[in-house]
Amino acid sequence: IAHGCGEQAQDNPVLGIGFGHDAFKEAKREYIVSVGSIGSWYATPGVPHNEFLHILVLTGLAGTIPFILMLREVYRSVDRAEKAPGGEGTLRSEMATYCKGIFAVFLVNAMLADMIFFSYFMTLLYFLLGMTVSLEAEPASPAGGPRRRSVRRHGAGEQENLARTAV
């Protein structure tokens, strides 16, 4: 499968073969290489079972490079959230550590499966990553105790503006 993906990527390096429900399955037919019974087996899968190869084949370098840069930036954002001022023990740093573990699981699984088809997991992953990065650094709640949240009080002028925009 990897050999066939490499051949497809070499023949369509910039834009790939394009999207479609069976785009990979249809395009791979001319790239089937027979090595014993492996060639006949390669004709069966509709996907390469590797997220990175799949994106490379479908979108070429035009889609693969932004995808890898996005993954790198996501990891860097979560890493900054984990090491943000306010230190250890904040909900943000604890969530960031948790999300880095989930992200590592995603990367390993992406090398073995086409994660794009696991929409629930992908939605949950990106939701957790985004939520973690957007959290303010606050102390995590002590075991069993509620977290204390600071509430911003609005002045009289701000309350009038809020009331006008609400109507």
Side-chain angles (χ1 to χ4, degrees):
I1 293 177
H3 176 74
C5 288
E7 294 288 322
Q8 288 179 42
Q10 278 183 333
D11 289 349
N12 306 287
V14 178
L15 297 176
I17 62 171
F19 287 101
H21 187 268
D22 292 323
F24 176 77
K25 190 174 187 177
E26 296 296 323
K28 75 176 180 176
R29 289 184 179 154
E30 58 191 85
Y31 297 97
I32 294 176
V33 177
S34 187
V35 180
S37 64
I38 295 175
S40 61
W41 176 81
Y42 176 58
T44 306
V47 293
H49 300 291
N50 182 313
E51 187 72 11
F52 304 105
L53 287 178
H54 200 192
I55 289 174
L56 179 64
V57 168
L58 293 180
T59 64
L61 294 174
T64 304
I65 291 171
F67 179 69
I68 291 172
L69 292 175
M70 180 203 64
L71 292 178
R72 187 185 87 178
E73 188 56 35
V74 165
Y75 181 82
R76 291 170 83 189
S77 296
V78 172
D79 194 47
R80 281 191 300 268
E82 183 180 38
K83 297 174 182 172
E88 288 184 23
T90 62
L91 178 63
R92 183 180 187 183
S93 77
E94 289 178 8
M95 283 292 295
T97 303
Y98 174 70
C99 284
K100 283 169 84 173
I102 295 172
F103 193 66
V105 168
F106 161 74
L107 291 176
V108 170
N109 280 304
M111 290 186 271
L112 305 170
D114 291 284
M115 297 302 292
I116 196 168
F117 298 118
F118 296 103
S119 58
Y120 177 76
F121 176 78
M122 296 304 294
T123 302
L124 184 61
L125 171 68
Y126 289 121
F127 174 76
L128 285 172
L129 292 170
M131 182 181 73
T132 299
V133 170
S134 67
L135 281 172
E136 294 180 23
E138 298 179 4
S141 64
R147 282 187 41 219
R148 300 181 99 186
R149 296 199 56 124
S150 60
V151 177
R152 182 173 174 237
R153 303 281 180 204
H154 297 284
E158 288 181 67
Q159 286 178 346
E160 290 172 14
N161 288 336
L162 287 172
R164 273 188 243 137
T165 57
V167 176

